[in-house]
Structure formats: C-alpha cells, structure tokens
C-alpha cells in the first residue's frame, strides 16, 4: 500500500482487549468519493484505498478527522488485501499442499522485545507454505480474483504442486512454463506434419507426371481416342496443380509454423531463471526471519529468567543484567521486524513479477493459438483451391467424353481403312 495513510495502516499498534468491529459494520454499497474503494482487512476491519494515489486509511473518506479505531487485538504480519491480494503481493488463498507452517502474528512492536515468550495470539493470521506467506483460511474473507470469469494464469498458480514423479513439489509458475514449452513442441510437430504432407504431394505430383507420359492405349482412335489423350493430359495438369499446392504449403504454412518464435525456448529459460531467483531470494529472506524469530525467543527467555532471579534476590548486578537482557531482547525484536520487512519486500517483488510474467505467458499462448489457427485456415483454403484447380483439369475430359460417338468413329475409320464395298455372290455353273 502506498502513501502516508498506508504506512500508518500497516504500522498501527493496538492495545490488548480491543475488539474489531464486525465485517458488515458498513455496507459496501455506501457511495464513496471518486477514486476510493473499500475492502476488508484479514482481521475483518474495513479500510479504504485511493486507486489513483494508492493511499490507504482506516478512516472513511469524507468523514471527520480523528484517530482511527483499532482493527483488532494484534497487528497482522501481512498488510490488508486488495482485490484478493495483499498489498505486499501475497495471494490470500492458501493452497492445498504439504510443507506448511502456521505462524502467529507478531504483537505490539514496542513490546516485541520484552513480551513473555509464553504468550499466544488469539488467532492465527497467516500460514507459510514453502516460504510463501498466505492469510489463514479461518481468518480471511473470501478473496476476489484479479481477473474474474477469465480463468487467468495470474489467479490460479500461486501454490506449489506435489510432483507426481517424486516426493518434491513443482512451482505453479513451472507448470505454466511447461505448458508454454509443450505448446512450442506441438507447434513444431504440426510443422513436421505439414512437411510430410508436402512430401506426399510432391511424390504424388511426380507419379502423376510420369503416368501422363505412359504410352498405354496411345493407339486408341476417334473421339474416344481424343478423350483418352485428354485424360492423360489432365494428369499432367493435375501434377502441376499439386506441385504448386506443395510449394504454397511450404511457404505459407510449414515455414511460418517452424520459424514462429525461433528463440522461444531461450526466452522461456531466461524467464524461468528470473522467477526462480526471486523465489530463492524469498526463501533466503524467510530463513532469516525464522533465525531472527528464534533469536528473539531466546532473548525473551533469558530476560524472563533474569526477571525471575530478580524477584528472588535483589541486587545491583541482577538489575544490570536485566537491563542488558532487555536491550538485547529489544534489539532482537528490531532485527526480527527488519527481517520481516525485507521478507515482505522480497515477496512483493516476486508477486509483482509473477503477475506480470504470467499475464505475458497468457498473451503469448493466445498469440500462439491464434497464429496456428490462421495458418491451418490457410491450409484448408489451399486445399479448396487445389480441389477447384483439379476439377478444372478434368472438365475438358468431361466435354470430350460427352462428344464420344461410336457411329461417327466407325464412319471415319471405315472411310480411312475400307477395302471395298462389293459383296461376294454365288458362283454360277
């Protein structure tokens, strides 16, 4: 969240015993000033976001100024959510997977170093899965999707998925990359399929041309002989049509399919490395948070032990030890807050890159499918044209076949080959 109001909202410290107002205390149908929208925090408290300036505040815009009421008994380790996602970039739906840890939200920042380690929070506000922090499902209202009704990549691949081939997990982003690379492979195989189709056309054309030169039945005469000669010629014409068809298939279908995104795999590899590096950085920040949390627990335990010793025996040395332990505990609390802040920054960066990159992958997939569709439409168009041209090669054959006249052929042949029209008679005695 941006703006001074956002910083105040995230850093607000509440006193124990204060109860947050119910989520429905203000209807979302209440008209707000232009540019303002209202949402619910993980604790169920309503807050307001200026979509133009990213300013956030507990106070309803336009209401009288004053100190905002407390959102709940403890400060959440994540900022409120906007459109179903934390302002730090964390998706609020915890996915179903193993390797999760439930973390209580941290208490008052001023008491972080001096509170007793035995105290427990009343609610579990967050849940960490594979170093990614999500809101706890029991304390988070139902989220809105970034792109409702679109089944967008940016809404459904925040979790890791169990690897069916082993005991590990596969990141949601990795699944998207696998789909992209599979799409590239399918595109390549389609190009190879068209290449085989071209080979068949070329071989077919070659055989047609060869057959058209065959001398079989070359001595047929008359109108039938003319029709037969046209049949053979039509084969040569058809061979030419199929050669042209194969050439167009190569230039207008096969080649574009093969050359589309020649560097796609290399680009996807760079993209994979970028997101993976951000995820590794997030894991490193999470490890630092856990280390700092452990150190704070140890400092608090040491402080509590020295406090108990003071109750038994009062001395200047014990008081000095307590002051020293309190300073160390406070420092450990500050270190933890710093580590959490760095973790949230890393998670926010990862979130932003995930949204941007998944939307780009979505665009590339639509572009790939549309490109293939267009070229397959071109294939069918060429097929229709080829059929039309093939039909034109047999039309002269049809015309000559309709003119075949056995009687006329007989007349012409007799006139050319007759040997005499005087018939024999009986012999006289």
């Amino acid at each position: 969240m941006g703006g001074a109001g956002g910083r105040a909202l995230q850093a607000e410290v509440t006193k124990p015993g204060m109860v947050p107002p119910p989520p429905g205390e203000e209807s979302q149908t209440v008209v707000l000033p232009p540019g303002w929208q209202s949402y619910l925090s993980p604790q169920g408290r309503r807050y307001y976001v200026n979509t133009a300036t990213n300013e956030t505040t507990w106070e309803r815009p336009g209401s009288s100024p004053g100190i905002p009421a407390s959102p709940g008994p403890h400060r959440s380790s994540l900022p409120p959510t906007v459109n179903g996602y934390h302002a730090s970039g964390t998706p609020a739906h915890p996915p179903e997977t193993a390797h999760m840890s439930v973390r209580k939200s941290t208490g008052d920042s001023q008491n972080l170093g001096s509170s007793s380690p035995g105290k427990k929070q009343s609610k579990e506000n967050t849940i960490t899965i594979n170093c990614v922090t999500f809101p706890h499902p029991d304390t988070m209202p139902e989220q809105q999707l970034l792109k409702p009704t679109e089944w967008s990549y940016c809404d459904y691949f925040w979790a890791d998925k169990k690897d069916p081939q082993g005991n590990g997990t596969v990141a949601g982003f990795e699944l998207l990359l696998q789909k992209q690379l599979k799409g590239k492979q399918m595109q390549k195989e389609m190009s190879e399929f068209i290449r085989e189709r071209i080979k068949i056309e070329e071989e077919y054309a070659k055989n047609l041309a060869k057959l058209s030169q065959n001398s079989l039945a070359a001595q047929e005469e008359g109108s039938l002989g003319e029709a037969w000669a046209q049949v053979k010629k039509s084969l040569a014409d058809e061979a030419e049509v199929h050669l042209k068809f194969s050439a167009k298939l190569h230039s207008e279908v096969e080649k574009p399919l093969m050359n589309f995104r020649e560097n796609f795999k290399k680009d996807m590899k760079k993209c994979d490395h970028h997101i993976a590096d951000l995820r590794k950085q997030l894991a490193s920040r999470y490890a630092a948070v856990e280390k700092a949390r452990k150190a704070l627990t140890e400092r608090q335990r040491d402080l509590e032990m020295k406090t108990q010793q003071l109750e038994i025996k009062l001395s200047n040395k014990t008081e000095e030890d307590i002051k020293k332990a309190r300073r160390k505990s406070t420092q450990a609390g500050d270190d933890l807050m710093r580590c959490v802040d760095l973790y949230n920054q890393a998670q926010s960066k990862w979130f932003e890159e995930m949204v941007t990159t998944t939307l780009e992958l979505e665009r590339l997939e639509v572009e790939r499918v549309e490109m293939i569709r267009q070229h397959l439409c071109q294939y069918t168009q060429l097929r229709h044209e080829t059929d039309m041209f093939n039909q034109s090669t047999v039309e002269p054959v049809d015309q000559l076949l309709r003119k075949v006249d056995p009687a006329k052929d007989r007349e012409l042949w007799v006139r050319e080959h007759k040997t005499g029209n005087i018939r024999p008679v009986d012999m006289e005695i």
Side-chain angles (χ1 to χ4, degrees):
M1 288 188 174
R7 289 190 292 271
L9 180 63
Q10 295 183 28
E12 182 185 77
V13 177
T14 59
K15 297 181 180 180
M18 299 187 70
V19 179
E25 70 170 1
E26 178 180 352
S27 172
Q28 294 191 23
T29 60
V30 175
V31 178
L32 295 171
W36 286 89
Q37 294 184 8
S38 67
Y39 301 94
L40 291 179
S41 73
Q43 292 81 14
R45 174 72 188 281
R46 188 170 302 283
Y47 64 96
Y48 302 90
V49 178
N50 188 313
T51 57
T53 64
N54 288 331
E55 178 185 358
T56 58
T57 178
W58 294 113
E59 285 289 328
R60 183 180 182 277
S63 61
S64 58
I67 300 176
S70 167
H74 298 288
R75 180 172 65 93
S76 172
S77 60
L78 286 178
T81 59
V82 178
N83 290 335
Y85 286 82
H86 290 293
S88 65
T90 310
H93 277 307
E96 296 180 0
T97 180
H99 313 294
M100 64 174 64
S101 63
V102 176
R103 180 64 59 192
K104 308 288 187 178
S105 63
T106 57
D108 190 322
S109 60
Q110 296 178 354
N111 298 327
L112 192 61
S114 58
S115 61
S116 170
K119 292 183 179 180
K120 299 292 183 179
Q121 301 296 333
S122 60
K123 287 187 178 180
E124 298 167 348
N125 291 327
T126 62
I127 184 170
T128 301
I129 306 172
N130 291 347
C131 303
V132 180
T133 302
F134 301 94
H136 197 281
D138 295 337
T139 60
M140 182 64 197
E142 185 177 355
Q143 290 181 317
Q144 300 178 22
L145 299 176
L146 291 178
K147 300 181 73 175
T149 74
E150 295 189 27
W151 290 95
S152 174
Y153 290 164
C154 68
D155 279 321
Y156 296 99
F157 290 91
W158 295 105
D160 296 342
K161 186 177 182 180
K162 288 185 178 180
D163 185 359
Q165 306 298 328
N167 298 324
T169 58
V170 179
F173 185 76
E174 183 65 25
L175 292 177
L176 292 176
L177 281 182
Q178 291 175 5
K179 176 173 174 55
Q180 293 291 318
L181 295 176
K182 180 180 178 181
K184 175 64 176 178
Q185 180 63 26
M186 295 302 98
Q187 170 190 321
K188 178 182 177 182
E189 292 180 10
M190 288 179 187
S191 177
E192 293 172 352
F193 180 90
I194 298 298
R195 173 71 261 181
E196 292 301 314
R197 181 73 169 87
I198 291 172
K199 289 180 180 180
I200 292 173
E201 286 296 321
E202 292 174 342
E203 188 66 21
Y204 182 55
K206 178 180 177 181
N207 291 334
L208 285 178
K210 181 178 179 181
L211 184 59
S212 69
Q213 302 300 320
N214 194 292
S215 61
L216 292 175
Q219 297 181 6
E220 180 62 51
E221 300 173 328
S223 59
L224 181 59
E226 292 178 8
W228 176 247
Q230 187 61 44
V231 168
K232 296 169 67 175
K233 183 179 183 303
S234 71
L235 293 182
D237 295 339
E238 187 179 354
E240 185 65 23
V241 168
H242 284 279
L243 280 177
K244 291 181 179 179
F245 175 51
S246 64
K248 287 187 176 182
L249 278 182
H250 173 68
S251 62
E252 299 179 21
V253 181
E254 180 211 1
K255 193 173 180 180
L257 285 176
M258 179 61 72
N259 295 337
F260 183 68
R261 297 178 185 164
E262 290 181 310
N263 298 323
F264 186 72
K265 287 187 177 180
K266 184 183 296 184
D267 294 340
M268 287 298 99
K269 190 173 183 179
K270 290 180 181 179
C271 185
D272 185 21
H273 286 169
H274 178 58
I275 296 296
D277 288 344
L278 291 175
R279 188 67 184 269
K280 289 178 182 178
Q281 184 179 9
L282 181 61
S284 176
R285 296 300 187 190
Y286 179 74
V289 168
E290 291 300 293
K291 182 178 179 180
R293 200 185 304 276
K294 181 179 179 181
L296 174 60
T297 301
E298 293 175 353
R299 295 302 182 186
Q300 289 175 331
R301 185 181 296 112
D302 182 58
L303 175 60
E304 185 174 11
M305 181 182 64
K306 285 181 170 54
T307 302
Q308 292 173 353
Q309 291 176 353
L310 177 62
E311 295 174 355
I312 299 174
K313 182 180 179 181
L314 181 61
S315 68
N316 292 335
K317 184 177 185 303
T318 303
E319 290 180 357
E320 288 298 324
D321 288 344
I322 289 178
K323 291 179 180 180
K324 183 177 180 181
R326 183 175 290 113
R327 285 195 300 270
K328 290 183 178 180
S329 182
T330 301
Q331 181 61 45
D334 292 341
D335 290 344
L336 175 58
M337 293 182 67
R338 180 181 59 82
C339 289
V340 169
D341 185 54
L342 291 174
Y343 169 85
N344 286 336
Q345 291 179 29
Q347 184 166 253
S348 178
K349 179 64 176 176
W350 173 72
F351 168 81
E352 293 170 1
E353 292 298 320
M354 276 284 290
V355 172
T356 301
T357 308
T358 54
L359 288 177
E360 176 63 12
L361 293 182
E362 190 173 295
R363 184 192 68 80
L364 291 174
E365 177 66 8
V366 171
E367 184 180 72
R368 182 189 74 88
V369 171
E370 181 61 21
M371 182 277 299
I372 293 176
R373 186 193 70 81
Q374 290 178 359
H375 285 89
L376 292 182
C377 286
Q378 181 64 14
Y379 166 78
T380 59
Q381 179 63 28
L382 292 174
R383 281 287 289 112
H384 291 316
E385 292 177 0
T386 300
D387 292 341
M388 181 181 66
F389 292 145
N390 282 336
Q391 182 64 30
S392 68
T393 64
V394 297
E395 287 177 359
V397 177
D398 289 335
Q399 295 174 1
L400 289 176
L401 288 176
R402 286 192 292 269
K403 294 179 180 179
V404 170
D405 185 349
K408 184 64 175 179
D409 288 349
R410 185 172 63 252
E411 176 187 348
L412 294 175
W413 188 85
V414 169
R415 285 179 180 276
E416 182 178 354
H417 298 93
K418 64 182 179 179
T419 60
N421 57 356
I422 304 299
R423 298 182 297 280
V425 298
D426 293 339
M427 180 184 296
E428 296 181 354
I429 300 176

